[in-house]
C-alpha cells in the first residue's frame, strides 16, 4: 500500500489561494467609486444579459469579478437573505455590513474546505447612505476576508494597477460624469502603460443614487444617458487639461 502524499496545511492554503487568484485575474476588471450623490459601478462587459452589477436591496448594490456561475449563486443567496431579513424584522435592518458578513462566512467556509475547490470570485458590496459619510463599500476576496474601502475600489483583472491609478486621482465630491470618466480611464490602462479605448456599448454602468425619491436607489445607466455622461466627463477632463497648460 502506497503512502499518501503529504502536503502541509500552509502549502495547501497557499495553493488554493493561488488557484482562486488566477481564476479571478482572468476576468475583466471593474471599479466602484463614490461620487457626490452616491456610488457608481463601472465595468467592461460586452454582454447585455449577464450582469456584473445588480441590486440586492433598497440601498445595497452588488458587484463581482470572476466565474459568473459562482458569483451568480452568491448574488441570489444575498437577495434571499435580504428579503427574508427585511420581511422578518424591518427594512432598515438589511445592511451592507450584515450582507458582507454572510458572504464572508460562505466564502471562508468554501475556501477552507478540502472537499471542494475555492470560489474564483471577488465581491464588492456597497450601501449608499443619506450623506456621503454614510456610504459603505466592502470588498470580499476569495478567502472570505472583509476589507472596508473608502472612495474607490477595483477587483478582477488588473486590479492592483487600476487601484493605484484611482487612489492618485479620485476625489471626494466628484460629479457622476467625472467619476464615470475616471473609472473608464482607469479600466483602459494596460500593464505596459498604454491606454486602449473602451466603447460605450462595452460598458456596464449602474449607480446607487441617494437623490432618487423612491426607496430603491439602484439604477442602470444605459443608452443616451450613458453617452451624455461620457461626453460631459470628457469635456470636463479637457477643460482641466487646458487650465493646467
Amino acid at each position: 500500500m502506497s503512502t499518501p502524499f503529504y502536503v502541509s496545511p500552509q502549502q495547501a492554503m497557499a495553493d488554493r489561494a493561488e488557484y482562486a487568484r488566477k481564476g479571478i485575474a482572468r476576468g475583466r476588471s471593474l471599479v466602484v467609486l463614490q461620487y457626490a450623490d452616491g456610488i457608481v459601478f463601472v465595468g467592461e462587459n460586452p454582454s447585455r444579459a449577464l450582469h456584473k452589477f445588480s441590486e440586492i436591496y433598497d440601498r445595497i448594490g452588488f458587484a463581482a469579478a470572476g466565474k459568473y456561475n459562482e458569483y451568480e449563486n452568491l448574488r441570489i443567496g444575498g437577495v434571499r437573505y435580504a428579503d427574508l431579513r427585511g420581511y422578518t424584522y424591518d427594512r432598515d435592518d438589511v445592511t451592507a455590513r450584515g450582507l458582507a458578513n454572510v458572504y464572508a462566512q460562505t466564502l471562508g467556509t468554501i475556501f477552507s474546505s478540502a472537499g471542494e475547490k475555492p470560489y474564483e470570485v471577488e465581491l464588492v458590496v456597497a450601501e449608499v447612505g443619506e450623506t456621503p459619510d454614510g456610504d459603505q463599500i466592502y470588498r470580499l476576496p476569495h478567502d472570505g476576508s472583509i476589507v472596508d474601502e473608502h472612495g474607490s475600489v477595483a477587483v478582477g483583472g488588473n486590479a492592483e494597477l487600476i487601484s493605484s491609478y484611482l487612489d492618485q486621482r479620485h476625489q471626494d465630491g466628484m460629479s457622476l460624469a467625472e467619476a464615470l470618466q475616471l473609472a473608464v480611464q482607469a479600466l483602459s490602462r494596460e500593464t505596459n502603460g498604454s491606454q486602449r479605448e473602451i466603447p460605450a456599448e462595452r460598458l456596464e454602468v449602474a449607480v446607487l443614487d441617494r437623490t432618487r425619491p423612491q426607496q430603491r436607489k439602484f439604477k442602470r445607466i444605459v443608452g443616451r444617458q450613458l453617452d451624455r455622461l461620457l461626453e460631459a466627463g470628457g469635456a470636463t477632463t479637457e477643460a482641466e487639461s487646458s487650465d493646467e497648460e
Side-chain angles (χ1 to χ4, degrees), residues 55-84:
E55 178 186 36
I56 295 292
Y57 211 59
D58 295 342
R59 293 176 167 270
I60 302 174
F62 171 95
K67 294 195 69 173
Y68 177 80
N69 65 312
E70 293 179 347
Y71 67 68
E72 179 66 6
N73 286 336
L74 293 169
R75 183 193 69 83
I76 293 172
V79 171
R80 289 172 177 166
Y81 160 83
D83 283 344
L84 179 60

PDB file of all heavy atoms in Angstrom, residues 55-84:
ATOM      1  N   GLU A  55     -28.829  44.872  -8.066  1.00  0.00           N
ATOM      2  CA  GLU A  55     -29.424  45.370  -6.824  1.00  0.00           C
ATOM      3  C   GLU A  55     -29.659  44.195  -5.876  1.00  0.00           C
ATOM      4  O   GLU A  55     -30.151  43.142  -6.285  1.00  0.00           O
ATOM      5  CB  GLU A  55     -30.749  46.061  -7.143  1.00  0.00           C
ATOM      6  CG  GLU A  55     -31.495  46.569  -5.932  1.00  0.00           C
ATOM      7  CD  GLU A  55     -32.862  47.113  -6.293  1.00  0.00           C
ATOM      8  OE1 GLU A  55     -33.511  46.540  -7.204  1.00  0.00           O
ATOM      9  OE2 GLU A  55     -33.290  48.096  -5.678  1.00  0.00           O
ATOM     10  N   ILE A  56     -29.283  44.376  -4.625  1.00  0.00           N
ATOM     11  CA  ILE A  56     -29.586  43.380  -3.610  1.00  0.00           C
ATOM     12  C   ILE A  56     -30.795  43.803  -2.788  1.00  0.00           C
ATOM     13  O   ILE A  56     -31.701  43.017  -2.520  1.00  0.00           O
ATOM     14  CB  ILE A  56     -28.375  43.167  -2.675  1.00  0.00           C
ATOM     15  CG1 ILE A  56     -27.195  42.563  -3.453  1.00  0.00           C
ATOM     16  CG2 ILE A  56     -28.755  42.249  -1.509  1.00  0.00           C
ATOM     17  CD1 ILE A  56     -27.407  41.161  -3.936  1.00  0.00           C
ATOM     18  N   TYR A  57     -30.819  45.077  -2.391  1.00  0.00           N
ATOM     19  CA  TYR A  57     -31.944  45.592  -1.611  1.00  0.00           C
ATOM     20  C   TYR A  57     -32.057  47.089  -1.858  1.00  0.00           C
ATOM     21  O   TYR A  57     -31.380  47.633  -2.745  1.00  0.00           O
ATOM     22  CB  TYR A  57     -31.739  45.280  -0.125  1.00  0.00           C
ATOM     23  CG  TYR A  57     -33.025  45.064   0.642  1.00  0.00           C
ATOM     24  CD1 TYR A  57     -33.912  44.057   0.280  1.00  0.00           C
ATOM     25  CD2 TYR A  57     -33.367  45.867   1.728  1.00  0.00           C
ATOM     26  CE1 TYR A  57     -35.088  43.840   0.973  1.00  0.00           C
ATOM     27  CE2 TYR A  57     -34.546  45.662   2.437  1.00  0.00           C
ATOM     28  CZ  TYR A  57     -35.403  44.651   2.054  1.00  0.00           C
ATOM     29  OH  TYR A  57     -36.578  44.442   2.748  1.00  0.00           O
ATOM     30  N   ASP A  58     -32.865  47.784  -1.085  1.00  0.00           N
ATOM     31  CA  ASP A  58     -33.195  49.183  -1.350  1.00  0.00           C
ATOM     32  C   ASP A  58     -31.975  50.052  -1.623  1.00  0.00           C
ATOM     33  O   ASP A  58     -31.906  50.765  -2.612  1.00  0.00           O
ATOM     34  CB  ASP A  58     -33.951  49.774  -0.150  1.00  0.00           C
ATOM     35  CG  ASP A  58     -35.295  49.108   0.065  1.00  0.00           C
ATOM     36  OD1 ASP A  58     -35.774  48.456  -0.881  1.00  0.00           O
ATOM     37  OD2 ASP A  58     -35.853  49.239   1.167  1.00  0.00           O
ATOM     38  N   ARG A  59     -30.985  50.004  -0.732  1.00  0.00           N
ATOM     39  CA  ARG A  59     -29.826  50.875  -0.818  1.00  0.00           C
ATOM     40  C   ARG A  59     -28.523  50.104  -1.071  1.00  0.00           C
ATOM     41  O   ARG A  59     -27.449  50.682  -0.960  1.00  0.00           O
ATOM     42  CB  ARG A  59     -29.669  51.677   0.484  1.00  0.00           C
ATOM     43  CG  ARG A  59     -30.768  52.686   0.728  1.00  0.00           C
ATOM     44  CD  ARG A  59     -30.612  53.390   2.075  1.00  0.00           C
ATOM     45  NE  ARG A  59     -31.482  54.546   2.144  1.00  0.00           N
ATOM     46  CZ  ARG A  59     -31.150  55.777   1.760  1.00  0.00           C
ATOM     47  NH1 ARG A  59     -29.940  55.995   1.291  1.00  0.00           N
ATOM     48  NH2 ARG A  59     -31.995  56.776   1.843  1.00  0.00           N
ATOM     49  N   ILE A  60     -28.645  48.835  -1.382  1.00  0.00           N
ATOM     50  CA  ILE A  60     -27.467  47.971  -1.456  1.00  0.00           C
ATOM     51  C   ILE A  60     -27.263  47.443  -2.869  1.00  0.00           C
ATOM     52  O   ILE A  60     -28.191  46.939  -3.501  1.00  0.00           O
ATOM     53  CB  ILE A  60     -27.597  46.786  -0.470  1.00  0.00           C
ATOM     54  CG1 ILE A  60     -27.786  47.307   0.959  1.00  0.00           C
ATOM     55  CG2 ILE A  60     -26.380  45.885  -0.540  1.00  0.00           C
ATOM     56  CD1 ILE A  60     -28.057  46.223   1.972  1.00  0.00           C
ATOM     57  N   GLY A  61     -26.028  47.570  -3.359  1.00  0.00           N
ATOM     58  CA  GLY A  61     -25.655  47.044  -4.663  1.00  0.00           C
ATOM     59  C   GLY A  61     -24.575  45.989  -4.531  1.00  0.00           C
ATOM     60  O   GLY A  61     -23.854  45.927  -3.532  1.00  0.00           O
ATOM     61  N   PHE A  62     -24.450  45.190  -5.570  1.00  0.00           N
ATOM     62  CA  PHE A  62     -23.543  44.037  -5.586  1.00  0.00           C
ATOM     63  C   PHE A  62     -22.727  44.083  -6.864  1.00  0.00           C
ATOM     64  O   PHE A  62     -23.260  44.341  -7.950  1.00  0.00           O
ATOM     65  CB  PHE A  62     -24.395  42.763  -5.516  1.00  0.00           C
ATOM     66  CG  PHE A  62     -23.660  41.463  -5.738  1.00  0.00           C
ATOM     67  CD1 PHE A  62     -23.192  40.718  -4.662  1.00  0.00           C
ATOM     68  CD2 PHE A  62     -23.482  40.957  -7.019  1.00  0.00           C
ATOM     69  CE1 PHE A  62     -22.553  39.502  -4.864  1.00  0.00           C
ATOM     70  CE2 PHE A  62     -22.844  39.753  -7.230  1.00  0.00           C
ATOM     71  CZ  PHE A  62     -22.375  39.026  -6.149  1.00  0.00           C
ATOM     72  N   ALA A  63     -21.427  43.858  -6.745  1.00  0.00           N
ATOM     73  CA  ALA A  63     -20.548  43.764  -7.917  1.00  0.00           C
ATOM     74  C   ALA A  63     -19.635  42.567  -7.734  1.00  0.00           C
ATOM     75  O   ALA A  63     -19.250  42.243  -6.604  1.00  0.00           O
ATOM     76  CB  ALA A  63     -19.722  45.045  -8.074  1.00  0.00           C
ATOM     77  N   ALA A  64     -19.275  41.912  -8.841  1.00  0.00           N
ATOM     78  CA  ALA A  64     -18.453  40.713  -8.730  1.00  0.00           C
ATOM     79  C   ALA A  64     -17.601  40.520  -9.964  1.00  0.00           C
ATOM     80  O   ALA A  64     -18.001  40.846 -11.081  1.00  0.00           O
ATOM     81  CB  ALA A  64     -19.336  39.483  -8.518  1.00  0.00           C
ATOM     82  N   ALA A  65     -16.397  39.979  -9.742  1.00  0.00           N
ATOM     83  CA  ALA A  65     -15.492  39.591 -10.819  1.00  0.00           C
ATOM     84  C   ALA A  65     -15.122  38.134 -10.613  1.00  0.00           C
ATOM     85  O   ALA A  65     -14.999  37.663  -9.481  1.00  0.00           O
ATOM     86  CB  ALA A  65     -14.241  40.460 -10.805  1.00  0.00           C
ATOM     87  N   GLY A  66     -14.917  37.426 -11.722  1.00  0.00           N
ATOM     88  CA  GLY A  66     -14.566  36.012 -11.625  1.00  0.00           C
ATOM     89  C   GLY A  66     -15.511  35.139 -12.421  1.00  0.00           C
ATOM     90  O   GLY A  66     -16.018  35.543 -13.474  1.00  0.00           O
ATOM     91  N   LYS A  67     -15.783  33.937 -11.910  1.00  0.00           N
ATOM     92  CA  LYS A  67     -16.649  32.982 -12.605  1.00  0.00           C
ATOM     93  C   LYS A  67     -18.110  33.353 -12.408  1.00  0.00           C
ATOM     94  O   LYS A  67     -18.599  33.457 -11.279  1.00  0.00           O
ATOM     95  CB  LYS A  67     -16.394  31.559 -12.106  1.00  0.00           C
ATOM     96  CG  LYS A  67     -15.012  31.025 -12.447  1.00  0.00           C
ATOM     97  CD  LYS A  67     -14.933  29.520 -12.272  1.00  0.00           C
ATOM     98  CE  LYS A  67     -15.758  28.786 -13.313  1.00  0.00           C
ATOM     99  NZ  LYS A  67     -15.556  27.322 -13.249  1.00  0.00           N
ATOM    100  N   TYR A  68     -18.803  33.519 -13.528  1.00  0.00           N
ATOM    101  CA  TYR A  68     -20.186  34.016 -13.468  1.00  0.00           C
ATOM    102  C   TYR A  68     -21.106  33.109 -12.660  1.00  0.00           C
ATOM    103  O   TYR A  68     -21.873  33.579 -11.820  1.00  0.00           O
ATOM    104  CB  TYR A  68     -20.735  34.195 -14.885  1.00  0.00           C
ATOM    105  CG  TYR A  68     -22.185  34.627 -14.894  1.00  0.00           C
ATOM    106  CD1 TYR A  68     -22.541  35.948 -14.680  1.00  0.00           C
ATOM    107  CD2 TYR A  68     -23.206  33.691 -15.095  1.00  0.00           C
ATOM    108  CE1 TYR A  68     -23.866  36.343 -14.674  1.00  0.00           C
ATOM    109  CE2 TYR A  68     -24.537  34.072 -15.090  1.00  0.00           C
ATOM    110  CZ  TYR A  68     -24.861  35.398 -14.877  1.00  0.00           C
ATOM    111  OH  TYR A  68     -26.171  35.780 -14.853  1.00  0.00           O
ATOM    112  N   ASN A  69     -21.039  31.793 -12.910  1.00  0.00           N
ATOM    113  CA  ASN A  69     -21.983  30.901 -12.230  1.00  0.00           C
ATOM    114  C   ASN A  69     -21.788  30.919 -10.716  1.00  0.00           C
ATOM    115  O   ASN A  69     -22.749  30.781  -9.953  1.00  0.00           O
ATOM    116  CB  ASN A  69     -21.856  29.475 -12.772  1.00  0.00           C
ATOM    117  CG  ASN A  69     -20.503  28.862 -12.478  1.00  0.00           C
ATOM    118  OD1 ASN A  69     -19.469  29.487 -12.710  1.00  0.00           O
ATOM    119  ND2 ASN A  69     -20.486  27.632 -11.963  1.00  0.00           N
ATOM    120  N   GLU A  70     -20.549  31.127 -10.275  1.00  0.00           N
ATOM    121  CA  GLU A  70     -20.284  31.136  -8.834  1.00  0.00           C
ATOM    122  C   GLU A  70     -20.774  32.419  -8.183  1.00  0.00           C
ATOM    123  O   GLU A  70     -21.416  32.383  -7.136  1.00  0.00           O
ATOM    124  CB  GLU A  70     -18.792  30.924  -8.587  1.00  0.00           C
ATOM    125  CG  GLU A  70     -18.331  29.532  -9.002  1.00  0.00           C
ATOM    126  CD  GLU A  70     -16.837  29.296  -8.794  1.00  0.00           C
ATOM    127  OE1 GLU A  70     -16.095  30.267  -8.557  1.00  0.00           O
ATOM    128  OE2 GLU A  70     -16.416  28.121  -8.871  1.00  0.00           O
ATOM    129  N   TYR A  71     -20.475  33.566  -8.794  1.00  0.00           N
ATOM    130  CA  TYR A  71     -20.957  34.787  -8.135  1.00  0.00           C
ATOM    131  C   TYR A  71     -22.457  35.011  -8.341  1.00  0.00           C
ATOM    132  O   TYR A  71     -23.096  35.699  -7.556  1.00  0.00           O
ATOM    133  CB  TYR A  71     -20.124  36.021  -8.510  1.00  0.00           C
ATOM    134  CG  TYR A  71     -20.161  36.540  -9.926  1.00  0.00           C
ATOM    135  CD1 TYR A  71     -21.306  37.119 -10.476  1.00  0.00           C
ATOM    136  CD2 TYR A  71     -19.003  36.539 -10.702  1.00  0.00           C
ATOM    137  CE1 TYR A  71     -21.306  37.648 -11.751  1.00  0.00           C
ATOM    138  CE2 TYR A  71     -18.995  37.076 -11.980  1.00  0.00           C
ATOM    139  CZ  TYR A  71     -20.154  37.628 -12.507  1.00  0.00           C
ATOM    140  OH  TYR A  71     -20.152  38.156 -13.769  1.00  0.00           O
ATOM    141  N   GLU A  72     -23.034  34.398  -9.360  1.00  0.00           N
ATOM    142  CA  GLU A  72     -24.487  34.485  -9.516  1.00  0.00           C
ATOM    143  C   GLU A  72     -25.191  33.714  -8.396  1.00  0.00           C
ATOM    144  O   GLU A  72     -26.213  34.163  -7.869  1.00  0.00           O
ATOM    145  CB  GLU A  72     -24.901  33.940 -10.886  1.00  0.00           C
ATOM    146  CG  GLU A  72     -26.402  33.964 -11.151  1.00  0.00           C
ATOM    147  CD  GLU A  72     -26.979  35.360 -11.252  1.00  0.00           C
ATOM    148  OE1 GLU A  72     -26.218  36.338 -11.232  1.00  0.00           O
ATOM    149  OE2 GLU A  72     -28.211  35.469 -11.338  1.00  0.00           O
ATOM    150  N   ASN A  73     -24.637  32.565  -8.003  1.00  0.00           N
ATOM    151  CA  ASN A  73     -25.196  31.833  -6.863  1.00  0.00           C
ATOM    152  C   ASN A  73     -25.116  32.666  -5.588  1.00  0.00           C
ATOM    153  O   ASN A  73     -26.057  32.684  -4.771  1.00  0.00           O
ATOM    154  CB  ASN A  73     -24.438  30.517  -6.656  1.00  0.00           C
ATOM    155  CG  ASN A  73     -24.782  29.482  -7.702  1.00  0.00           C
ATOM    156  OD1 ASN A  73     -25.854  29.529  -8.309  1.00  0.00           O
ATOM    157  ND2 ASN A  73     -23.882  28.538  -7.938  1.00  0.00           N
ATOM    158  N   LEU A  74     -23.989  33.364  -5.399  1.00  0.00           N
ATOM    159  CA  LEU A  74     -23.846  34.218  -4.223  1.00  0.00           C
ATOM    160  C   LEU A  74     -24.821  35.388  -4.278  1.00  0.00           C
ATOM    161  O   LEU A  74     -25.393  35.780  -3.251  1.00  0.00           O
ATOM    162  CB  LEU A  74     -22.402  34.729  -4.127  1.00  0.00           C
ATOM    163  CG  LEU A  74     -21.346  33.672  -3.832  1.00  0.00           C
ATOM    164  CD1 LEU A  74     -19.950  34.233  -4.019  1.00  0.00           C
ATOM    165  CD2 LEU A  74     -21.497  33.137  -2.407  1.00  0.00           C
ATOM    166  N   ARG A  75     -25.012  35.970  -5.443  1.00  0.00           N
ATOM    167  CA  ARG A  75     -25.955  37.079  -5.576  1.00  0.00           C
ATOM    168  C   ARG A  75     -27.370  36.659  -5.201  1.00  0.00           C
ATOM    169  O   ARG A  75     -28.058  37.343  -4.439  1.00  0.00           O
ATOM    170  CB  ARG A  75     -25.940  37.607  -7.011  1.00  0.00           C
ATOM    171  CG  ARG A  75     -26.844  38.828  -7.218  1.00  0.00           C
ATOM    172  CD  ARG A  75     -27.056  39.117  -8.696  1.00  0.00           C
ATOM    173  NE  ARG A  75     -27.858  38.091  -9.347  1.00  0.00           N
ATOM    174  CZ  ARG A  75     -29.195  38.063  -9.315  1.00  0.00           C
ATOM    175  NH1 ARG A  75     -29.873  38.988  -8.652  1.00  0.00           N
ATOM    176  NH2 ARG A  75     -29.854  37.103  -9.939  1.00  0.00           N
ATOM    177  N   ILE A  76     -27.789  35.507  -5.719  1.00  0.00           N
ATOM    178  CA  ILE A  76     -29.143  35.020  -5.424  1.00  0.00           C
ATOM    179  C   ILE A  76     -29.296  34.753  -3.932  1.00  0.00           C
ATOM    180  O   ILE A  76     -30.318  35.089  -3.323  1.00  0.00           O
ATOM    181  CB  ILE A  76     -29.436  33.747  -6.239  1.00  0.00           C
ATOM    182  CG1 ILE A  76     -29.504  34.092  -7.733  1.00  0.00           C
ATOM    183  CG2 ILE A  76     -30.732  33.090  -5.785  1.00  0.00           C
ATOM    184  CD1 ILE A  76     -29.596  32.884  -8.643  1.00  0.00           C
ATOM    185  N   GLY A  77     -28.256  34.163  -3.319  1.00  0.00           N
ATOM    186  CA  GLY A  77     -28.307  33.939  -1.879  1.00  0.00           C
ATOM    187  C   GLY A  77     -28.397  35.237  -1.103  1.00  0.00           C
ATOM    188  O   GLY A  77     -29.113  35.318  -0.085  1.00  0.00           O
ATOM    189  N   GLY A  78     -27.707  36.277  -1.567  1.00  0.00           N
ATOM    190  CA  GLY A  78     -27.774  37.574  -0.907  1.00  0.00           C
ATOM    191  C   GLY A  78     -29.147  38.201  -1.000  1.00  0.00           C
ATOM    192  O   GLY A  78     -29.643  38.801  -0.028  1.00  0.00           O
ATOM    193  N   VAL A  79     -29.788  38.084  -2.153  1.00  0.00           N
ATOM    194  CA  VAL A  79     -31.142  38.614  -2.326  1.00  0.00           C
ATOM    195  C   VAL A  79     -32.114  37.903  -1.393  1.00  0.00           C
ATOM    196  O   VAL A  79     -32.969  38.540  -0.744  1.00  0.00           O
ATOM    197  CB  VAL A  79     -31.588  38.472  -3.797  1.00  0.00           C
ATOM    198  CG1 VAL A  79     -33.062  38.821  -3.945  1.00  0.00           C
ATOM    199  CG2 VAL A  79     -30.748  39.364  -4.697  1.00  0.00           C
ATOM    200  N   ARG A  80     -31.987  36.588  -1.284  1.00  0.00           N
ATOM    201  CA  ARG A  80     -32.870  35.826  -0.398  1.00  0.00           C
ATOM    202  C   ARG A  80     -32.657  36.219   1.064  1.00  0.00           C
ATOM    203  O   ARG A  80     -33.621  36.374   1.823  1.00  0.00           O
ATOM    204  CB  ARG A  80     -32.634  34.329  -0.593  1.00  0.00           C
ATOM    205  CG  ARG A  80     -33.137  33.798  -1.923  1.00  0.00           C
ATOM    206  CD  ARG A  80     -32.717  32.366  -2.153  1.00  0.00           C
ATOM    207  NE  ARG A  80     -33.269  31.836  -3.391  1.00  0.00           N
ATOM    208  CZ  ARG A  80     -32.867  30.721  -3.984  1.00  0.00           C
ATOM    209  NH1 ARG A  80     -31.899  30.000  -3.422  1.00  0.00           N
ATOM    210  NH2 ARG A  80     -33.415  30.322  -5.117  1.00  0.00           N
ATOM    211  N   TYR A  81     -31.396  36.374   1.453  1.00  0.00           N
ATOM    212  CA  TYR A  81     -31.089  36.797   2.826  1.00  0.00           C
ATOM    213  C   TYR A  81     -31.702  38.161   3.108  1.00  0.00           C
ATOM    214  O   TYR A  81     -32.335  38.375   4.161  1.00  0.00           O
ATOM    215  CB  TYR A  81     -29.579  36.842   3.031  1.00  0.00           C
ATOM    216  CG  TYR A  81     -29.143  37.699   4.195  1.00  0.00           C
ATOM    217  CD1 TYR A  81     -29.149  37.195   5.496  1.00  0.00           C
ATOM    218  CD2 TYR A  81     -28.744  39.024   4.004  1.00  0.00           C
ATOM    219  CE1 TYR A  81     -28.771  37.997   6.572  1.00  0.00           C
ATOM    220  CE2 TYR A  81     -28.363  39.819   5.073  1.00  0.00           C
ATOM    221  CZ  TYR A  81     -28.374  39.296   6.347  1.00  0.00           C
ATOM    222  OH  TYR A  81     -28.010  40.091   7.409  1.00  0.00           O
ATOM    223  N   ALA A  82     -31.523  39.100   2.185  1.00  0.00           N
ATOM    224  CA  ALA A  82     -32.028  40.457   2.391  1.00  0.00           C
ATOM    225  C   ALA A  82     -33.556  40.480   2.457  1.00  0.00           C
ATOM    226  O   ALA A  82     -34.141  41.141   3.329  1.00  0.00           O
ATOM    227  CB  ALA A  82     -31.534  41.365   1.274  1.00  0.00           C
ATOM    228  N   ASP A  83     -34.212  39.771   1.549  1.00  0.00           N
ATOM    229  CA  ASP A  83     -35.677  39.740   1.551  1.00  0.00           C
ATOM    230  C   ASP A  83     -36.222  39.131   2.840  1.00  0.00           C
ATOM    231  O   ASP A  83     -37.176  39.644   3.431  1.00  0.00           O
ATOM    232  CB  ASP A  83     -36.186  38.940   0.352  1.00  0.00           C
ATOM    233  CG  ASP A  83     -36.100  39.719  -0.946  1.00  0.00           C
ATOM    234  OD1 ASP A  83     -35.933  40.946  -0.885  1.00  0.00           O
ATOM    235  OD2 ASP A  83     -36.196  39.098  -2.022  1.00  0.00           O
ATOM    236  N   LEU A  84     -35.616  38.046   3.284  1.00  0.00           N
ATOM    237  CA  LEU A  84     -36.091  37.372   4.491  1.00  0.00           C
ATOM    238  C   LEU A  84     -35.877  38.245   5.726  1.00  0.00           C
ATOM    239  O   LEU A  84     -36.776  38.380   6.567  1.00  0.00           O
ATOM    240  CB  LEU A  84     -35.361  36.038   4.663  1.00  0.00           C
ATOM    241  CG  LEU A  84     -35.746  35.211   5.905  1.00  0.00           C
ATOM    242  CD1 LEU A  84     -37.230  34.865   5.876  1.00  0.00           C
ATOM    243  CD2 LEU A  84     -34.897  33.944   5.986  1.00  0.00           C
TER     244      LEU A  84
END
